[in-house]
């Protein structure tokens, strides 16, 4: 089966972008990262992508002002010109309009640093700590017009420690992100996911006895 052509959209350093690029180097990986595009000129991830031999592009959002759709039409033109089949958002700091999301329905993935549907939006680690949750994590989902609300493809969790700060928790969650994003793209690109009534199903499954309990009493 031909590898699916993937574009990654970034606004910054692109740490999840790097994880996807590394995973796609494997010969059996079903997706190929062919384009990294940023809405901010000079974003750190562009140089990293270039060093990895991947084509980069910049479509600056600033000149379009409040005309979000005009910016997105330019973005979309670039994606179509590169024959992109799947889009991965990796720290792309733009709220996308329903128009753009519709163009890529079921073909655009995002990663969020929380166990959705909990903690949509920003400052997820601070909010989780303030609530005293014992398990936290990250979610890869398909993008829908409503923010952080699309069908969930994969989740990964970490135990929250009593001495955690937002930074220490973020570091452990980032490790989970770098694992579940490449694996989610693997599932989607290989055709192993399907959407049923707004829920993502796949032929992959965790072990039936998988359990993360926190805190654990020894």
């Amino acid at each position: 089966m031909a590898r699916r052509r993937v574009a990654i959209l970034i606004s910054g350093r692109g740490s999840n972008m790097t994880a996807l690029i590394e995973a796609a180097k494997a010969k059996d990986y079903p997706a190929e990262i062919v384009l990294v595009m940023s809405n901010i000129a000079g974003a750190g991830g562009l140089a990293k992508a270039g060093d990895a031999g991947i084509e980069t592009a910049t479509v600056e959002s600033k000149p379009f002002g409040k005309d979000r759709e005009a910016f997105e039409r330019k973005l979309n033109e670039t994606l179509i010109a590169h024959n992109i089949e799947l889009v991965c958002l990796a720290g792309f700091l733009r709220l996308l309009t329903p128009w753009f999301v519709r163009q890529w329905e079921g073909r655009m993935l995002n990663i969020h640093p929380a166990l959705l549907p909990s903690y949509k939006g920003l400052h997820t680690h601070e909010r989780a700590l303030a609530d005293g949750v014992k398990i936290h994590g990250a979610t890869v989902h398909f993008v829908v017009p409503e923010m952080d609300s699309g069908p969930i493809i994969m989740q990964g969790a970490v135990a929250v420690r009593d001495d955690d700060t937002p930074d220490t928790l973020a570091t452990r969650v980032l490790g989970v992100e770098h694992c579940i994003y490449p694996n989610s793209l693997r599932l989607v690109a290989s055709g192993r996911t399907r959407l049923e009534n707004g829920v993502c199903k796949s032929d992959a499954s965790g072990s039936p006895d998988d359990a993360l309990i926190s805190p654990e009493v020894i």
Side-chain angles (χ1 to χ4, degrees):
M1 193 169 78
R3 300 174 86 194
R4 307 293 296 279
R5 293 175 63 83
V6 176
I8 304 176
L9 304 188
I10 64 169
S11 295
R13 63 195 169 94
S15 79
N16 273 303
M17 172 205 75
T18 302
L20 291 169
I21 288 171
E22 287 301 312
K25 287 178 180 176
K27 285 189 172 65
D28 66 343
Y29 198 76
E32 177 184 14
I33 314 300
V34 297
L35 178 68
V36 170
M37 187 157 43
S38 175
N39 66 312
I40 296 173
L46 292 173
K48 288 184 196 169
D51 289 345
I54 295 166
E55 188 175 342
T56 62
T58 302
V59 178
E60 288 195 76
S61 46
K62 211 170 183 179
F64 291 94
K66 292 183 178 174
D67 193 345
R68 287 162 57 202
E69 196 174 304
F71 160 69
E72 290 172 354
R73 285 187 184 278
K74 186 71 176 169
L75 208 61
N76 202 50
E77 280 172 22
T78 309
L79 294 170
I80 291 167
H82 286 80
N83 299 311
I84 298 302
E85 297 172 88
L86 297 168
V87 174
C88 290
L89 306 181
F92 188 63
L93 304 177
R94 294 283 298 180
L95 280 177
L96 296 166
T97 68
W99 175 83
F100 186 82
V101 172
R102 275 198 304 273
Q103 311 308 306
W104 295 94
E105 191 171 357
R107 298 189 296 145
M108 182 159 54
L109 288 66
N110 183 45
I111 188 155
H112 182 71
L115 294 172
L116 293 174
S118 296
Y119 306 116
K120 297 177 182 180
L122 301 174
H123 310 299
T124 57
H125 310 308
E126 289 87 343
R127 289 155 60 200
L129 288 173
D131 284 346
V133 301
K134 304 305 180 190
I135 293 171
H136 187 48
T139 303
V140 180
H141 63 96
F142 285 111
V143 179
V144 297
E146 189 186 342
M147 188 178 71
D148 301 332
S149 298
I152 291 169
I153 302 164
M154 190 178 290
Q155 293 182 304
V158 300
V160 180
R161 301 168 184 161
D162 283 349
D163 61 352
D164 264 328
T165 65
D167 286 343
T168 61
L169 186 54
T171 298
R172 290 205 307 288
V173 170
L174 194 61
V176 167
E177 292 179 41
H178 292 169
C179 172
I180 66 172
Y181 212 172
N183 282 332
S184 296
L185 180 58
R186 179 187 287 275
L187 278 182
V188 173
S190 57
R192 295 172 64 192
T193 56
R194 63 191 186 280
L195 292 173
E196 294 180 5
N197 300 317
V199 174
C200 179
K201 306 271 183 84
S202 81
D203 64 3
S205 61
S207 306
D209 60 346
D210 272 354
L212 172 60
I213 297 168
S214 172
E216 193 169 40
V217 180
I218 298 171

